[in-house]
Amino acid sequence: MITAFFNPFEKTSEQKQLLVGLLTLLVGGLLGYLFNARYDGVIDLHFTEKVQYSEPLVDLLIVCGTTSILLFGLGKIINSKTRFIDILYPTLWAKIPYTLITFFNINQASYKSGNQIMEAFQKGSHFEPSTATLALLLIEGAVMLAALMISVVWLFNGFKVATNSKGTRNNIYFILILMLAEVLSKYLISAIN
């Protein structure tokens, strides 16, 4: 059961992977709009005061597209039989944990608490959160860390299944490509905005 959770790509049909991937884009875009979330990087999610209805979906398309293209390039180097679709599915699935985090911004709760912290930091004053704010921040931090880990594990395991990648060197290349995808997707998103 645990293995199936951390590596769902070995035993999940292509049709189901496609369906989950498309639903992730659509639901993620909708939740991003409803809760003012921007998916502005491979491993990022930020809340803003307001988003346009298309911004979260465009963010997801840019991030998933950039990551998929770069990982596909690496996959072709590792194994010439690598298929783009087999890289795309885990890239889409890796955004599922981030779409769930959007619920932390119901009534702008996460955005407001983040602003309070930043204002106190900029003024050099002491920030004393309420018990509810502190609880929200601690829970959100733990969930975000778990989402990051699940996202990277899904990307990594999906990449390994798609490319039959083995060895430390390929793992290092994978990490470097993720870092490049993070930088490139942030640049593209900021250039469009």
Side-chain angles (χ1 to χ4, degrees):
M1 179 77 162
I2 292 175
T3 303
F5 174 77
F6 285 109
N7 193 357
F9 309 104
E10 286 184 330
K11 301 200 186 232
T12 305
S13 71
E14 282 192 22
Q15 292 83 7
K16 187 173 181 181
Q17 288 183 44
L18 174 63
L19 179 64
V20 170
L22 292 176
L23 283 173
T24 300
L25 284 176
L26 296 174
V27 172
L30 177 63
L31 291 175
Y33 171 67
L34 292 174
F35 299 114
N36 297 312
R38 298 296 306 268
Y39 307 96
D40 54 351
V42 177
I43 56 171
D44 287 325
L45 172 83
H46 293 100
F47 296 114
T48 63
E49 187 173 356
K50 184 127 178 86
V51 299
Q52 299 299 317
Y53 69 92
S54 62
E55 287 175 330
L57 180 58
V58 170
D59 292 348
L60 285 169
L61 291 171
I62 289 172
V63 169
C64 292
T66 303
T67 306
S68 296
I69 290 167
L70 292 173
L71 286 175
F72 177 65
L74 176 60
K76 277 297 201 184
I77 293 168
I78 293 170
N79 180 350
S80 63
K81 294 181 181 178
T82 300
R83 299 183 318 159
F84 180 75
I85 203 77
D86 295 331
I87 299 290
L88 178 63
Y89 294 151
T91 304
L92 294 170
W93 280 49
K95 298 315 275 181
I96 294 171
Y98 288 98
T99 62
L100 299 176
I101 293 172
T102 59
F103 289 103
F104 279 102
N105 204 36
I106 292 174
N107 294 324
Q108 293 285 73
S110 186
Y111 176 74
K112 289 174 186 173
S113 61
N115 275 350
Q116 290 173 347
I117 293 170
M118 288 306 296
E119 286 175 14
F121 179 74
Q122 289 171 346
K123 292 177 183 175
S125 61
H126 184 66
F127 176 66
E128 293 186 26
S130 67
T131 305
T133 300
L134 183 60
L136 174 71
L137 290 171
L138 290 173
I139 293 168
E140 183 179 2
V143 170
M144 288 188 105
L145 182 60
L148 170 67
M149 292 186 325
I150 292 167
S151 180
V152 171
V153 165
W154 280 352
L155 269 173
F156 179 72
N157 286 333
F159 179 77
K160 283 179 64 172
V161 168
T163 63
N164 199 25
S165 176
K166 293 176 176 61
T168 304
R169 183 172 40 179
N170 289 343
N171 295 346
I172 291 170
Y173 291 152
F174 172 84
I175 292 167
L176 292 174
I177 289 295
L178 275 192
M179 291 168 63
L180 178 60
E182 174 75 12
V183 171
L184 187 56
S185 62
K186 279 188 167 300
Y187 172 77
L188 291 172
I189 290 169
S190 66
I192 288 175
N193 292 328

